[in-house]
Amino acid sequence: MCRVLKEKLSKVDLSFLNHKKKMAFWINTYNACVMNGFLEHGLPSSKEKLLTILKMATIDLGGTQLSALDIEGSILHSPCEPLEALSTDVHKRYGFRCDEPNLMFVLCRGDWSSPALRVYTAEDVVNELIKARMEYLEASIGITGRKKIVIPRFLHKRLRDFADDEGTLVEWICRQLPPGERCLQLKETAMEWLKKQSESSLNKLIEVRPHEYEFRYLLHL
């Protein structure tokens, strides 16, 4: 982050922000904090290096030092990976009244499996979250020649945020995909395969794509 922005953050008072303003502020601050961490500490070469950088990437917010992991786990409360014990003090001071599962589609860690990087606005953050979710699913869900539906690992780990099991997760994904020839074909194929599967064989229908930690920033235009 530039020096001027850092100075402003060190004096910021969030007590006057409503829920939507607070959500947009923390999403943008987190993404900027992560990017600044790469500029200061270099690009990660592994998952372990990435987590180290996320701990080292810090901001001074009103006199409180917060790392990117603090923001992700204790404030946005949407960890992409299992984290250490969350700070209840930080959550109590800055956190939201309730969890927002769609945040997982907007937190950009700068790796190949992360969603696109964009700026969120307080006025339209709810619709922007929905749009980000739809675009991420459109880009990351696929089908294979072996009649399997490909789902990213971090979405599969969080399926209970959106569905009861793998079958209802596939149904939920199909409802979220936008109109369009590719998505229509994907939805029709997925639902056809799903109808043919018994509950005990759902694991044969889904292929979980491993998280890719190679560095990449995908910018939303």
Side-chain angles (χ1 to χ4, degrees):
M1 298 179 193
C2 68
R3 181 174 57 83
V4 174
L5 178 57
K6 279 190 169 183
E7 289 179 357
K8 289 183 177 180
L9 285 174
S10 68
K11 302 173 183 176
V12 73
D13 177 12
L14 304 184
S15 60
F16 66 94
L17 297 184
N18 61 28
H19 179 70
K20 291 198 295 184
K21 289 180 179 179
K22 186 187 292 186
M23 191 154 53
F25 172 86
W26 282 116
I27 295 170
N28 294 329
T29 298
Y30 171 83
N31 288 336
C33 187
V34 173
M35 182 181 288
N36 190 61
F38 295 147
L39 294 174
E40 291 187 346
H41 305 293
L43 300 182
S45 55
S46 65
K47 172 184 174 181
E48 291 71 25
K49 177 65 174 177
L50 173 61
L51 291 175
T52 298
I53 291 176
L54 294 179
K55 290 179 182 178
M56 297 168 64
T58 60
I59 60 168
D60 179 348
L61 185 73
T64 301
Q65 283 289 127
L66 297 172
S67 70
L69 284 185
D70 290 328
I71 299 171
E72 181 183 319
S74 296
I75 299 172
L76 295 171
H77 210 246
S78 184
C80 301
E81 295 286 347
L83 303 177
E84 300 171 2
L86 305 180
S87 169
T88 54
D89 181 61
V90 171
H91 179 70
K92 187 181 298 184
R93 187 173 181 183
Y94 298 115
F96 304 141
R97 295 185 299 274
C98 57
D99 292 345
E100 174 49 76
N102 285 331
L103 291 175
M104 67 184 294
F105 301 108
V106 302
L107 304 183
C108 182
R109 284 180 160 201
D111 59 38
W112 197 266
S113 293
S114 286
L117 181 68
R118 68 183 82 196
V119 176
Y120 293 84
T121 65
E123 294 77 14
D124 203 32
V125 66
V126 174
N127 289 328
E128 289 165 353
L129 286 175
I130 295 172
K131 184 178 181 180
R133 180 185 68 196
M134 180 179 66
E135 292 179 353
Y136 183 84
L137 293 174
E138 181 181 12
S140 60
I141 303 299
I143 56 177
T144 72
R146 301 189 303 277
K147 293 189 175 182
K148 287 182 177 286
I149 300 165
V150 182
I151 296 175
R153 177 175 175 265
F154 93 125
L155 174 58
H156 186 260
K157 287 195 310 178
R158 302 285 298 275
L159 71 85
R160 293 293 181 182
D161 288 339
F162 306 101
D164 296 325
D165 51 35
E166 291 181 332
T168 52
L169 177 64
V170 172
E171 293 175 349
W172 176 83
I173 289 171
C174 289
R175 291 197 299 271
Q176 310 309 311
L177 292 172
E181 184 175 347
R182 176 188 174 276
C183 289
L184 180 61
Q185 181 182 9
L186 192 156
K187 286 189 280 189
E188 290 177 346
T189 302
M191 294 307 296
E192 179 184 349
W193 292 351
L194 189 61
K195 290 177 182 177
K196 295 178 181 179
Q197 299 295 320
S198 64
E199 186 174 345
S200 60
S201 63
L202 277 174
N203 62 329
K204 298 178 182 179
L205 174 66
I206 291 176
E207 178 178 312
V208 180
R209 179 187 291 121
H211 198 96
E212 298 182 55
Y213 291 93
E214 182 180 356
F215 175 79
R216 180 183 76 161
Y217 265 117
L218 184 63
L219 302 179
H220 175 73
L221 300 178

